[in-house]
Amino acid sequence: MAFSADELRVLRRALAIALHPASLSDEDVQDCLRLAGSLDEAVREAGRLRAFLLADLARYRDALPAAAGGYLGLLQDALATGYQPVPDDLVALRGLRGTPAGAALLDRCRAIAEQSVRARLAGRSAAPLPRTRLLAIAGGRTAGADQPPKPKQPAPDREPSERPMPKPSEVFPPRKRPVPPREQMVAG
């Protein structure tokens, strides 16, 4: 995740205020809320990308053994981002253990799955906790504090700012199949 110079300025100011509480101006509060909104949007976008990549991984897994190269590459990328292999992945990798990359990934996935099971048996959560929204800033607005909270509207199925997740056919258009060369007729 990358921050702009303005976002870094707001973040530095917010951290300074968190360390040394003081009252905030309305402009500072708005800057902090905009930064929190930007971070939330980045988290939502990362979630949409992760869901797309995991769906792509499942499609490649279903197309095995023909898609072995693509599946192994996607699985390596998913593991690098903290993906916990599912039993279907282990079954698929057992079928691909004849290749060096498949055997190495099978060993890696077995170790990750074993760690996950041990963590669950020990009572710890293997999955990271979701990020919570910024609800209040200490020393924030004081002028509107006396007003009662607005009644909440029912949330739509998705926020207007959210883009729908693209279909794989939109992101990766189908490839044209090669046309076999025409046979030339020989007069004879």
Side-chain angles (χ1 to χ4, degrees):
M1 183 180 307
F3 291 106
S4 70
D6 189 45
E7 289 172 332
L8 284 175
R9 180 185 54 80
V10 171
L11 184 60
R12 188 178 12 237
R13 225 174 41 222
L15 290 173
I17 292 169
L19 292 173
H20 305 288
S23 63
L24 295 175
S25 67
D26 283 343
E27 181 183 336
D28 290 340
V29 171
Q30 290 301 319
D31 287 345
C32 290
L33 291 174
R34 266 194 301 277
L35 179 62
S38 296
L39 288 172
D40 288 339
E41 175 62 27
V43 168
R44 283 192 300 270
E45 187 66 29
R48 285 192 294 268
L49 178 62
R50 182 171 174 78
F52 175 77
L53 292 175
L54 292 180
D56 208 22
L57 180 67
R59 279 189 293 279
Y60 273 83
R61 185 176 50 235
D62 293 340
L64 286 175
Y71 173 71
L72 294 175
L74 284 173
L75 184 59
Q76 279 182 321
D77 293 344
L79 291 173
T81 63
Y83 173 70
Q84 297 287 321
V86 295
D88 290 341
D89 290 318
L90 295 173
V91 169
L93 287 171
R94 282 188 199 109
L96 298 172
R97 67 179 167 221
T99 64
L105 274 175
L106 178 60
D107 292 340
R108 184 173 171 195
C109 286
R110 279 183 181 160
I112 292 171
E114 183 178 328
Q115 288 174 350
S116 176
V117 168
R118 288 177 190 254
R120 276 186 269 147
L121 289 175
R124 296 183 313 229
S125 173
L129 295 175
R131 180 179 173 272
T132 58
R133 285 203 35 87
L134 177 64
L135 298 177
I137 299 174
R141 290 188 195 153
T142 56
D146 298 345
Q147 297 176 354
K150 295 180 182 178
K152 293 195 175 192
Q153 303 268 339
D157 290 342
R158 65 178 176 90
E159 294 181 18
S161 64
E162 284 188 29
R163 295 181 301 245
M165 187 167 52
K167 297 177 186 173
S169 61
E170 295 170 345
V171 177
F172 305 106
R175 295 183 184 169
K176 293 182 180 179
R177 295 189 176 155
V179 178
R182 293 184 180 178
E183 295 180 17
Q184 295 180 357
M185 300 183 92
V186 178

